[in-house]
Amino acid sequence: MNLVTTEILKTNEVKPGYFLHDYNAPLMAKTSEPGQFIHVRVAAGPHPILRRPFSICSAKEDRLQILFRVVGEGTHLLSKVMPGEKIDIMGPIGTPFKIEHKPAVLIAGGIGCAPLYFLALRMKEANIPVRFYYGARSVSDLPLHEEINAIAGELNITTEDGSLGKKGLITDVLPDRLTQDFAVYACGPETMLHALKKILDAQGISAQFSLENRMACGVGACMGCVTRTISGFKRVCVDGPVFSSDDVVI
Amino acid sequence: MTDLSVKLGRLTLKNPVTVASGAYGYGAEYLTLYAPSLLGAVFLKGITPKPRAGNQPPRIVETPAGMLNAIGLQNVGIEGLLKDKLPALQGIEGCFIANIAGESIDEFVQIAEALENAPNLSGIEVNVSCPNVRKGGMAFGVSAKATEAITRAVRKSTSLPIIVKLTPNVTDIREIARAAEAGGADAVSLINTLLGMAIDIEKRRPLLGNITGGLSGPAIRPVAVNMVWSVSRAIKIPVIGMGGVRTWEDAIEFFLAGASAISIGTAVFQDPLSPLKILDGIQKYLEKNSIDSIKHLSEYLKKD
């Protein structure tokens, strides 16, 4: 883990309210793995006091990329920074996805596509076939669907309003049998992970879930970001963010 | 040469900048960023006799220039501290101070005794001020009688210097500080968090799993400065000031109010390097103003 004040190379509002940021961070980019996050300082002054954690969306050469949606004060401030300005970032942090060498099913809900996009990039390099399932409320909430389409062997999209792909929820269009032949990775809202866990549990298979939570320290010190697991409260920041679906209590 | 060392009763710190219990884990979490030996002291996460699971999440909420937390003393217990956490600090230089929290006087004594020969430990902070647990915690710290009794009992059961951490959620914090002094504390530290609450207006539910939590961060600084000021003129033992220290200017304010040392908590989350930046700023301030020792800062407001 490193803490650096570095340059913002590029900002791009890929869909209204969804931003891709590229930061110059050679050391972090080199050591980042899919599922890990960076902890970003959003204000120089006393408010907002907490950093914001964002999944790493890609890491290549000197560049580290995050994707975020403007949901509140912190992300609003972050969306206003410009290329050339400085940013204070800490990372990479957390337990990454464990990449299994068998065909992969990646299931993303909305902004949850960020770590799975990074994962799909790495799987492409490793020649692991990827079936990508990507759902959101509407086409305007599918920020990376074209990029994902370009790298995944198969992309299935659902939107709740039917504006792109099949109308409905992503958990409605999964393959009938998610067998042991596939490795399943997922990231999305709690409702999606809850529905997915039911499906997985019914079929007796497990997946890797990337969870999110509000965080204070981001390094495992404050115990603020815990989630329920079958073996008690675990810190999302360093015990996760990637957990086995068997362990999480959603 | 500016003298930055401070004496807290029998405990001497190389400099007055410390990190507060709860913000710095068990001392090893920030090791990849810098050596804890650069700090005056590191206050470790609060410890209870048995491991504690802590409160139901959500445990943190951001508030204007601050945050609420209701961790609920999730910790590894005294055995975990002795078997895992303190050994992990072996060979790492630094002034590490344990923070202990019991539900009864006996439990405080039990932890203090267990720590007597613990390696790598320079002192004990007696936590009678946690606002987020049902038993013990703040319930002791709002009573002068209980604070004095616990301090005295811990005093008798350890040879380590002891610091009593006070809650601001009282009518007159000076009474509690005097009780800690009477019980034999080497120093007091204040303030712990202010009891607070936040509500989700869409869900119409409390934002914290514990319903209430402790408010910290820059928002509480003026409250803390006032309490440090009034306590430091009510007792003779040194005061460790904390509550919203984020910059070196904030730290200077606490020294002027009467603090011998300061502690940084929430600001570590925003900038883990802030303790080092604050230390540097203090040093430059003293040099610029030709003040040869940090100890002199507390003299300026004495006459007021």
Side-chain angles (χ1 to χ4, degrees):
Chain A
M1 182 187 71
N2 292 287
L3 176 62
V4 294
T5 300
T6 190
E7 194 191 346
I8 301 165
L9 298 171
K10 195 177 157 193
T11 65
N12 181 11
E13 189 170 8
V14 284
K15 296 261 170 158
Y18 290 88
F19 288 82
L20 270 176
H21 275 191
D22 287 26
Y23 303 138
N24 178 35
L27 202 58
M28 280 187 209
K30 208 170 289 169
T31 52
S32 292
E33 292 178 59
Q36 291 187 302
F37 69 94
I38 58 170
H39 214 22
V40 181
R41 182 171 177 172
V42 292
H47 182 80
I49 192 82
L50 297 180
R51 286 172 178 260
R52 300 292 190 266
F54 298 105
S55 280
I56 298 162
C57 182
S58 78
K60 204 175 175 190
E61 286 148 17
D62 292 352
R63 275 170 193 252
L64 191 121
Q65 190 175 56
I66 59 166
L67 171 73
F68 64 92
R69 180 162 69 102
V70 176
V71 290
E73 240 177 322
T75 43
H76 176 75
L77 285 169
L78 192 60
S79 73
K80 297 293 173 201
V81 298
M82 291 294 166
E85 288 181 41
K86 295 285 182 198
I87 189 132
D88 175 343
I89 57 176
M90 182 164 72
I93 305 170
T95 308
F97 287 112
K98 188 172 162 281
I99 296 178
E100 293 183 53
H101 288 272
K102 54 181 169 184
V105 172
L106 276 52
I107 305 163
I111 194 74
C113 66
L116 295 180
Y117 174 64
F118 189 15
L119 183 64
L121 284 169
R122 286 289 161 89
M123 286 177 164
K124 188 174 166 66
E125 287 167 14
N127 286 318
I128 297 170
V130 171
R131 286 196 198 179
F132 209 110
Y133 291 82
Y134 189 10
R137 281 190 302 266
S138 148
V139 63
S140 58
D141 298 303
L142 292 165
L144 288 180
H145 71 88
E146 280 152 18
E147 288 81 355
I148 292 166
N149 195 34
I151 57 162
E154 182 188 320
L155 172 62
N156 303 278
I157 286 176
T158 61
T159 51
E160 286 170 52
D161 64 1
S163 52
L164 191 71
K166 206 169 168 189
K167 189 174 175 175
L169 298 172
I170 200 65
T171 40
D172 298 333
V173 301
L174 297 177
D176 288 341
R177 286 175 53 75
L178 285 166
T179 64
Q180 300 288 0
D181 301 336
F182 295 100
V184 181
Y185 311 80
C187 183
E190 205 172 300
T191 45
M192 181 197 99
L193 294 178
H194 179 79
L196 180 59
K197 185 171 161 57
K198 269 190 175 167
I199 296 169
L200 293 164
D201 287 351
Q203 303 191 17
I205 60 170
S206 65
Q208 297 182 51
F209 283 2
S210 173
L211 305 187
E212 67 169 353
N213 208 344
R214 291 178 187 273
M215 292 179 188
C217 74
V219 300
C222 75
M223 316 289 161
C225 68
V226 298
T227 191
R228 286 182 200 87
T229 74
I230 52 167
S231 47
F233 293 128
K234 297 273 185 204
R235 298 163 297 181
V236 171
C237 65
V238 294
D239 298 320
V242 176
F243 292 91
S244 166
S245 61
D246 293 335
D247 293 340
V248 297
V249 179
I250 297 180
Chain B
M1 186 68 190
T2 317
D3 181 13
L4 284 173
S5 72
V6 291
K7 265 182 84 81
L8 304 172
R10 294 167 298 150
L11 180 67
T12 302
L13 308 186
K14 65 192 278 192
N15 69 59
V17 176
T18 74
V19 284
S21 180
Y24 219 77
Y26 298 100
E29 284 79 354
Y30 290 97
L31 270 182
T32 52
L33 298 181
Y34 58 91
S37 63
L38 297 170
L39 303 170
V42 171
F43 289 84
L44 305 178
K45 174 71 187 167
I47 283 291
T48 50
K50 294 260 178 288
R52 273 181 70 100
N55 287 331
Q56 291 296 320
R59 291 179 173 180
I60 55 170
V61 182
E62 197 168 38
T63 56
M67 65 180 285
L68 285 166
N69 89 79
I71 308 300
L73 278 175
Q74 176 176 350
N75 78 91
V76 296
I78 183 67
E79 214 179 298
L81 184 75
L82 291 170
K83 277 195 175 154
D84 303 327
K85 303 301 181 184
L86 287 176
L89 297 175
Q90 284 286 29
I92 296 162
E93 264 183 67
C95 176
F96 299 103
I97 298 173
N99 176 294
I100 69 170
E103 291 182 358
S104 64
I105 293 182
D106 285 350
E107 284 195 0
F108 277 100
V109 168
Q110 184 193 337
I111 312 171
E113 282 175 350
L115 292 175
E116 179 61 15
N117 295 311
N120 231 347
L121 213 54
S122 302
I124 292 177
E125 184 174 48
V126 181
N127 181 354
V128 288
S129 46
C130 178
N132 298 322
V133 290
R134 274 205 197 89
K135 288 185 191 163
M138 203 177 92
F140 292 131
V142 297
S143 154
K145 214 174 137 191
T147 300
E148 184 174 341
I150 289 167
T151 308
R152 181 159 287 132
V154 173
R155 168 79 293 146
K156 280 184 188 154
S157 47
T158 181
S159 62
L160 289 166
I162 62 171
I163 297 156
V164 179
K165 187 164 182 176
L166 307 180
T167 174
N169 303 305
V170 290
T171 313
D172 186 352
I173 194 169
R174 291 171 302 181
E175 270 181 45
I176 317 294
R178 285 190 199 105
E181 183 178 37
D186 288 82
V188 291
S189 52
L190 60 135
I191 56 175
N192 203 321
T193 53
L194 283 154
L195 201 53
M197 182 173 175
I199 301 167
D200 184 330
I201 63 161
E202 299 301 328
K203 292 181 185 161
R204 303 185 189 109
R205 297 290 309 152
L207 277 159
L208 290 169
N210 189 52
I211 302 175
T212 62
L215 182 65
S216 64
I220 72 167
R221 200 179 82 233
V223 177
V225 170
N226 170 267
M227 288 193 173
V228 166
W229 179 74
S230 61
V231 165
S232 61
R233 50 194 51 215
I235 57 173
K236 292 194 176 65
I237 55 174
V239 172
I240 303 170
M242 75 188 84
V245 178
R246 198 184 69 92
T247 66
W248 65 264
E249 291 95 331
D250 302 341
I252 298 294
E253 199 183 8
F254 275 86
F255 294 124
L256 290 170
S260 297
I262 55 106
S263 229
I264 306 159
T266 305
V268 172
F269 303 150
Q270 185 181 43
D271 182 5
L273 301 181
S274 62
L276 304 184
K277 292 175 184 169
I278 288 168
L279 178 59
D280 186 56
I282 292 168
Q283 197 155 7
K284 288 194 172 121
Y285 173 87
L286 294 176
E287 282 162 13
K288 188 183 143 203
N289 292 285
S290 306
I291 299 167
D292 63 4
S293 170
I294 185 79
K295 298 172 193 80
H296 297 321
L297 283 182
S298 63
E299 293 160 12
Y300 287 85
L301 295 193
K302 276 274 165 66
K303 52 185 181 291
D304 297 333

